[in-house]
Each structure stands twice: as structure tokens, then as C-alpha cells.
Amino acid sequence: MLRLVIIFLIVAIVAALFGFTGIAASAAAIAKVVFIVAVILFLLSLIAGGIRGFK
């Protein structure tokens, strides 16, 4: 999932360099959303692992 964040971030940077501000803004927004989802899923798995206990 973090791979998607990096891909969209690179697309946003390249689009910004070429002056496609609409595409850059969209790619940056998508990267931000995917990153937030990845962080939330990571925290949920961390909490679930803590509740179940480490064996």
C-alpha cells in the first residue's frame, strides 16, 4: 500500500514539474488518502497484535 503512495507522489511531482497543476493536485490528494489508510491499518494491526498477545 505504501508503494501506491510513493507512485502517486512521484506522479504528482512529475506533473507539477511539467505544469499540470490539476493532475498534480489530484495525485497528491490520492497519495495522501492512501497513506492515511495505510497508517490506520498499521495501527489497527498493531493494536490487534497487542490484544492477542505475542507468542
Side-chain angles (χ1 to χ4, degrees):
M1 187 168 287
L2 289 178
R3 184 179 299 163
L4 286 175
V5 172
I6 294 170
I7 290 170
F8 282 116
L9 184 62
I10 291 171
V11 169
I13 291 170
V14 170
L17 288 175
F18 288 118
F20 301 119
T21 56
I23 295 172
S26 297
I30 292 171
K32 185 177 178 180
V33 168
V34 172
F35 178 74
I36 291 171
V37 168
V39 169
I40 290 172
L41 289 175
F42 171 72
L43 291 175
L44 287 175
S45 66
L46 206 67
I47 292 169
I51 291 173
R52 288 180 31 194
F54 298 104
K55 296 180 181 180

